Structures are given as C-alpha cells and as structure tokens.
Amino acid sequence: MALLAIQGIAGALAAEVSIMPQPVKLEIAEGEMVINPKTTIILMDNSLRSTAQIFADDIAVFFDSKPLKVSSSHRKATDKSIYLALNKSLAAEEYSLLVNTNGTLIEGGSAAGVFYGLQSLRQMIIQTDGKVPYCTIEDKPTFAYRGVHLDVCRHFFTVEEVKEYIDIIAAHKINRFHFHLTDDQGWRIEIKRYPELTKVGSVRTETLVGHGGSSNEYDGTPYGGYYTQKQLRDIVKYAAERHITVIPEIEMPGHARGALAALPWLGCTDEYIPVWTRWGVTPEIMCAGKETTYEFLENVLAEVIEIFPSEYIHIGGDEAPRNRWKECPHCQERIKAEGLASEAELQSYLVARIEKYLHAHGRKMIGWDEILEGGVTPTATIMSWQGARGGINAAKKGNYVVMTPNSHLYFDFYQTETKEGEPLAIGGYLPVEKVYQYNPYRKLNDEEKKYILGVQCNLWTEYIGEFDHLTSMLLPRLAALSDVQWAENRRNEETLRPRMEQMRKLYDCYGWNYAKFYYEGRK
C-alpha cells in the first residue's frame, strides 16, 4: 500500500488529521479504521495495563461515557483492535503508531512512549469522529524535560483541580509538573514535624483587591488551604500513572513569610511576621546565620523527599532581598566565620549546604537563576526565568539548565496587546505566536546546547483565583509550547494555526476552558 506524506495530500482525511506536538513522521494512506466503544485494546505486555486503562477511560468521554475494553489476550479480536506493545529498539519516550487493515498498533520504548502514542491516537479519534485514517506515525521528543508549573500559594486549588490540571498537561505530552508549594502568601504542604506551618502559615487574614502595583484595597476575608501528605502522595501517584514527575518547590531563603509567620525564630529578629496579604517582594526572609534555620530546612526536606520521588527538588532562591542580613549579627558572624565576601555569597553558602544535603539523600537541586549571583557548584541546575541570560551563562559554564524565561513562557501575562475582554493580570504581553517563536538554544553553540535539559512555562496565580480562569491562561498557549518542547527542531509556523484549530476539538470534548483570542485572530 502506497503511503503519502501528509503535506502532499489533497483530501478530506488529510485535512482533518493533525498531531500536536508535531511528530517526526506522519504519513496517510487510503482507508480508515473505525474506533468506537466496541473496539478492544489488546495488551501485548501486561505492564501496559494502567496506561491502557487511562486511555480507555479518557476516550470514553468522547463515546458518551462508554469505555473501551482492555484485554491481555494476544489473539486478534473479531473486530479491529488497538494493540499496545513495548519495543526495546525505541528510546524510552519514543513511539510508533500504525493504522491499517489489521487494526492499530502502538509501540513504545517504555510505557511512557506508548502513552504518548495513545495521546496522538486520541487526538485523531476526536478529529475524525472515530474514523481514523490508515497512517504511520514515528515520533520522539527533542527535550527530556518538558515542564509546566503551577503556583498554589497565591491562590489555592483543590486536589481534584490539580488532577485535572495534570490531565490537561498530560494530553500535551508534558512529563514534568513543577508544584510551587510555599511562599509569602501561604504554606501549602503538611510537615508533620512542624504542624504550625499549616495551622498558622497556610492562612492569610485577607487578600489584596486589584493590582499590586496600585491598590491598597483588601477583601477582609481570611484565605487559606493546604495539602496533607496523603493528598500529595495521591497527586504524585496520579501524575506518575500519566508519566509525569512532580517536582516540589520549597522556597528558601526568600518568599518565606508563610514559614516566618508560623515559626518566627526562622527570621533574623525572632519577631512575628504575618502571612503576607500583598503580592510582590518582601524584605522578610529566613536568617542564614542561625544554625536552627539549616536544621529546619533539612527537617522539612526530609519529609518532602519521602513524599516526592522526583530526582530534582526545587529550592526557589529567587527575589530574596538581603538587607536584613546586613543588619543581623547572626548573618554577619556566619559571613565572617565562613570567610565569605558578601551577603550574596552567604546565600550561595546556604544553597550549597542544602544541595549537599539533597545529594546525600540521592536527590539533585534546582533553583531559580538568582542562585547564580554568589556563585554555585558545578552540579547545581538552574531554572532561568529572568529572560534567557541566566540560563545562557549557566550553560556556558557547564551547569544544566531548564529554560523558563518570562519574555516567552510566563503564562500569567496578558494574551492580547489591547487587553480588551481579558481579566486582570500581572502585566506583560504573551500571545500564542510569541510562545511558538521561542528558541531555547539561542546564543549557544553545539557543545553548550547539551546543557539545556528542557523548557517549561510558569503560571503564577496572584490574579488567578478560579480554575476556569487558570485553564484559560494555560490554553491554548500550552499547545504552542508543546511544539517547542517536543518538536523544537521540526517546528513549522505555517502549520501551527490549522493544528491549533484541531486542538480546540480536544479542549471542547473535555470541557477545558480556553482563551479564544488566538482563534478570533486577536493579538
């Protein structure tokens, strides 16, 4: 049977089928396989049962809540079936998908590869109303790290909402979920050794109304919420079943007023400092001079490590004004005792101690690009958010980097230039087109490029209090980002809009609220 490259096909089926993110190879042939609730998913390897069941349950939404049957029988079913198999000749996240007269065969180098093949099949089922054309797909990602971030400190989201957020990012073949759990406006993770952190530190007395740069109005309503360790383990398990690693972030030494409110001795003066009711950067940070601060951080991380099996633990490190340290006798004594030259080096001392602790417990440290300021170890991984400069400099020095520049990947920014019809946002302007144009390798040579682990969008929630608002900030920009993450070396801006139009069908099928500006042609 002759296969035709999709770019050269004139016909309804070719026009109806597209995959996001862009696969390495997609070829369409004559003929189609009808997939409906009677279609069976057959496991060629029983280790794929969970992956198959998730797909069966997810696609059931399209089939009026009728899930497909999952069977471990190796013989062919009466009707055409979907066969799932492992193929060790493929890389772990690589997959192949073949639809022909014998049914559909998806092979992956691991269960993750099979999962990604099923995401492509799901898109095609929804796009073609279950009449999937005969085709061949071969695909694998560019970056090993494909991340999405969520801040639950400024505004809190329930376990079920977090799981739906994970569903959304899984549909875009994301494999890292950066979970921002502590900040000035609330401590959101149960630490059993320090119950005050959630009893006191998770609740602020009220919340700012309007923009933080101009408003002094507050709502007068206490606001709080946190996750128990049991709930967090449930979220980790849910994500892992969708081949997503949850990376927790525990902020230090700045963005710590949730902790300082609960345990005032963490500060330089031991004075009570309430959970913050505003947004922005506060001068109140943890004391880097007291040994009790390091004991606290290690005790917290000991429990965090037990909950989250991720290779990386994020330690924040951003926006930590050091003026308090200049006045603090404990900090000045630490600087003198350790032979440090400045308060910036004191922060680097703290970061290095925490990294040493994490290494001793089999983990790696990642932090925002400010941790570069006083110098970092060669093993520290940098998350570059203040544009790409920090990441570029780190990669040139041989540190691994995840690119998250606010210039292209801050999804709390406005989506149109006029802002007409948009809810209040922090500022900035980030349309779909700008997300798609981001080049993670800019200003790097071939040797330096190997230090770019991947790309991530960040979604901060100062001005996002409802889940529908949250998803409308994520979608459809996430679809454009997924092409950067998965298909950086084969992106084609000419095919972006038709593929984005097809992604709407997926969003509509699952009732995921998304911004309409791009589809309306607004910039």
Side-chain angles (χ1 to χ4, degrees), residues 11-22:
L13 276 180
E16 289 176 0
V17 174
S18 69
I19 303 297
M20 182 68 79
Q22 180 71 49

Side-chain angles (χ1 to χ4, degrees), residues 137-155:
I137 298 177
E138 296 175 2
D139 201 10
K140 61 182 178 180
T142 301
F143 290 108
Y145 185 113
R146 304 180 303 281
V148 170
H149 158 284
L150 177 61
D151 163 28
V152 294
C153 300
R154 279 50 177 265
H155 283 98

Side-chain angles (χ1 to χ4, degrees), residues 394-413:
K396 288 181 178 294
K397 292 177 180 178
N399 287 86
Y400 284 105
V401 177
V402 176
M403 286 295 198
T404 68
N406 55 4
S407 59
H408 290 77
L409 301 177
Y410 264 46
F411 284 11
D412 54 338
F413 284 11

Side-chain angles (χ1 to χ4, degrees), residues 80-380:
K80 291 181 181 179
S81 299
I82 300 169
Y83 297 88
L84 305 183
L86 296 176
N87 182 340
K88 295 305 180 183
S89 69
L90 301 175
E93 294 190 308
E94 187 176 3
Y95 72 90
S96 64
L97 189 157
L98 174 65
V99 184
N100 60 22
T101 56
N102 297 319
T104 295
L105 172 64
I106 296 176
E107 293 183 313
S110 69
V114 173
F115 182 83
Y116 300 136
L118 286 168
Q119 299 316 303
S120 295
L121 180 61
R122 175 162 62 148
Q123 289 182 32
M124 289 194 290
I125 291 171
I126 292 171
Q127 290 169 17
T128 64
D129 198 25
K131 300 177 180 66
V132 179
Y134 292 166
C135 63
T136 299
I137 298 177
E138 296 175 2
D139 201 10
K140 61 182 178 180
T142 301
F143 290 108
Y145 185 113
R146 304 180 303 281
V148 170
H149 158 284
L150 177 61
D151 163 28
V152 294
C153 300
R154 279 50 177 265
H155 283 98
F156 182 75
F157 295 92
T158 67
V159 171
E160 290 309 310
E161 288 170 334
V162 172
K163 286 182 176 180
E164 187 168 356
Y165 195 81
I166 290 169
D167 288 339
I168 293 171
I169 67 176
H172 293 77
K173 303 186 176 84
I174 305 301
N175 66 358
R176 298 291 188 274
F177 173 43
H178 176 174
F179 206 8
H180 183 80
L181 290 164
T182 71
D183 216 300
D184 294 314
Q185 295 81 11
W187 182 283
R188 306 292 180 215
I189 172 174
E190 177 191 25
I191 301 297
K192 292 184 178 179
R193 183 161 183 149
Y194 303 105
E196 305 95 330
L197 288 170
T198 46
K199 183 178 180 180
V200 176
S202 70
V203 181
R204 57 180 180 260
T205 57
E206 57 187 357
T207 300
L208 184 74
V209 175
H211 198 280
S214 57
S215 176
N216 287 303
E217 179 185 353
Y218 296 86
D219 63 10
T221 303
Y223 186 94
Y226 68 91
Y227 307 101
T228 66
Q229 293 193 6
K230 181 179 179 181
Q231 289 174 323
L232 289 168
R233 287 190 173 92
D234 182 39
I235 289 171
V236 167
K237 179 175 181 290
Y238 189 88
E241 290 170 344
R242 288 149 184 83
H243 306 282
I244 294 172
T245 300
V246 182
I247 298 175
E249 181 180 356
I250 308 298
E251 279 272 19
M252 59 184 83
H255 284 293
R257 282 183 60 159
L260 294 170
L263 305 169
W265 49 264
L266 283 173
C268 289
T269 65
D270 293 354
E271 295 178 3
Y272 170 72
I273 298 167
V275 180
W276 211 20
T277 56
R278 295 191 66 87
W279 320 126
V281 180
T282 170
E284 310 302 340
I285 67 175
M286 295 178 183
C287 179
K290 298 177 185 175
E291 193 62 27
T292 49
T293 300
Y294 299 93
E295 179 184 352
F296 166 79
L297 291 172
E298 290 180 2
N299 288 338
V300 168
L301 290 172
E303 295 191 32
V304 169
I305 288 169
E306 288 299 312
I307 300 167
F308 298 93
S310 61
E311 177 185 23
Y312 280 105
I313 304 295
H314 203 300
I315 58 89
D318 63 313
E319 297 180 327
R322 307 179 189 109
N323 292 336
R324 293 285 185 262
W325 292 356
K326 293 179 180 179
E327 305 163 356
C328 173
H330 305 289
C331 293
Q332 292 305 308
E333 179 59 32
R334 179 74 65 172
I335 289 173
K336 181 179 178 181
E338 299 296 336
L340 305 175
S342 64
E343 286 74 26
E345 288 192 10
L346 178 59
Q347 181 169 346
S348 294
Y349 167 82
L350 180 150
V351 169
R353 276 191 63 168
I354 295 303
E355 183 181 21
K356 183 178 180 180
Y357 175 84
L358 290 173
H359 283 178
H361 291 80
R363 305 305 179 89
K364 294 180 180 179
M365 183 198 74
I366 188 168
W368 300 112
D369 53 49
E370 283 96 331
I371 68 173
L372 292 166
E373 292 172 9
V376 293
T377 67
T379 51

